[in-house]
Amino acid sequence: MSEYQKYLDSAISELRRGTLVLGVLSALDKPMYGYSLIQVLHSKGFLIDQSTLYPLLRRLEKQEFLKSDWEIEDSRPRKYYVLSESGRKFLADLIGEWKSNIKIINSLLD
Amino acid sequence: MSEYQKYLDSAISELRRGTLVLGVLSALDKPMYGYSLIQVLHSKGFLIDQSTLYPLLRRLEKQEFLKSDWEIEDSRPRKYYVLSESGRKFLADLIGEWKSNIKIINSLLD
DNA sequence: TGACAATACTGTATGCCGTACAGTATAATG
DNA sequence: CATTATACTGTACGGCATACAGTATTGTCA
């Protein structure tokens, strides 16, 4: 892979980086487990890998923005995550920041 | 500062993170030196600190997306940066990615 | 005129967080 | 019955923003 491509990939990954939390939290309005979350987000064009999502979910739970429950009734054990109250507020705050950022960047790009 | 505020600040900083390169490169369509770049971006609502900008400029030059020239004729020495050819393409690629990201995230947030 | 703020940079250290990688185990498929 | 898909855990690594410290010159204003 060319140096150029390497740097571009890296910059693209940096671009996505901040939006990861946004994408994940916004999807967890309703309870969902990790593996299915990957597929749901994927189907909407939001690509996220296992190795990115699982650590992120754990971190967000530690920070108390997500609650989790193991469902062992299903065909196989699944850990369902959902927004906590605090997480709901956090998401709202982040969305505000995101929208403000978009305006600023778009004005720079004109 | 509360834990909540700490996590929010961190997430906001992650949100900005990817857009830093976008903001800086888009401004360097015309030659400009670091210190003034901070002020120009600042006046447009894009906040960036010395300790963030200078290392970023050095990195982008190392990656050959920026060229630089010392101007010592001025009242004091200033290092002017401007997009290279490669940088111009890089910026265009990044903008494409940025716009695509916005669409995806916004569709998630609806 | 002399101190303090503003200007304008360099360089190193730190820490967060995404990602890679390795591993575990069960269920579905063909 | 082997292979693939599902569904998770945990650690190691590296890139990059940010903090911090440092240097030196110019402008201001009391």
Side-chain angles (χ1 to χ4, degrees):
Chain A
M1 185 163 53
S2 69
E3 287 293 289
Y4 180 86
Q5 196 58 43
K6 206 185 80 190
Y7 294 141
L8 185 59
D9 286 351
S10 166
I12 288 173
S13 134
E14 290 290 321
L15 260 188
R16 286 198 216 286
R17 182 172 173 142
T19 66
L20 287 171
V21 172
L22 213 48
V24 167
L25 288 184
S26 72
L28 289 177
D29 194 40
K30 300 280 165 59
M32 210 175 325
Y33 60 95
Y35 198 85
S36 78
L37 190 50
I38 290 173
Q39 296 171 324
V40 168
L41 291 176
H42 203 93
S43 76
K44 297 186 176 178
F46 191 98
L47 307 178
I48 186 168
D49 194 81
Q50 282 205 4
S51 63
T52 299
L53 181 64
Y54 286 123
L56 176 56
L57 289 173
R58 284 178 231 140
R59 197 190 94 220
L60 290 171
E61 184 178 22
K62 203 171 173 189
Q63 297 175 340
E64 296 180 5
F65 298 132
L66 292 178
K67 299 175 289 186
S68 76
D69 271 306
W70 278 100
E71 290 287 341
I72 50 174
E73 311 289 299
D74 297 348
S75 62
R76 68 182 73 197
R78 289 165 175 157
K79 198 171 182 179
Y80 280 79
Y81 290 91
V82 71
L83 282 179
S84 66
E85 270 317 301
S86 168
R88 224 167 267 283
K89 169 153 174 36
F90 189 73
L91 174 58
D93 284 347
L94 264 190
I95 290 177
E97 191 64 25
W98 163 250
K99 290 189 173 162
S100 144
N101 275 10
I102 288 184
K103 277 187 198 146
I104 293 170
I105 305 292
N106 281 345
S107 82
L108 285 178
L109 297 183
D110 288 338
Chain B
M1 187 163 53
S2 70
E3 286 295 289
Y4 181 87
Q5 195 58 43
K6 205 185 81 189
Y7 294 142
L8 185 59
D9 286 351
S10 166
I12 288 173
S13 133
E14 291 290 322
L15 259 188
R16 286 197 215 287
R17 183 172 171 141
T19 66
L20 286 171
V21 171
L22 213 49
V24 166
L25 289 184
S26 71
L28 289 177
D29 194 41
K30 299 281 164 58
M32 210 175 324
Y33 60 96
Y35 198 85
S36 78
L37 190 50
I38 290 173
Q39 295 172 324
V40 167
L41 291 176
H42 203 93
S43 75
K44 297 185 176 177
F46 191 97
L47 306 178
I48 185 166
D49 193 81
Q50 282 204 2
S51 63
T52 300
L53 181 64
Y54 286 124
L56 176 57
L57 289 173
R58 284 179 231 140
R59 197 189 96 219
L60 290 171
E61 185 178 21
K62 202 171 173 188
Q63 298 175 339
E64 295 180 6
F65 298 132
L66 292 178
K67 298 176 290 187
S68 77
D69 270 307
W70 278 100
E71 291 286 342
I72 51 173
E73 312 288 301
D74 295 349
S75 61
R76 69 183 72 199
R78 289 166 175 155
K79 196 170 182 181
Y80 280 79
Y81 289 92
V82 71
L83 282 179
S84 67
E85 269 318 301
S86 167
R88 224 167 267 284
K89 168 152 174 37
F90 189 72
L91 174 58
D93 285 347
L94 265 190
I95 290 176
E97 192 64 25
W98 163 250
K99 289 188 173 162
S100 145
N101 275 10
I102 288 183
K103 277 187 198 144
I104 293 170
I105 306 290
N106 281 345
S107 83
L108 286 178
L109 297 183
D110 288 340

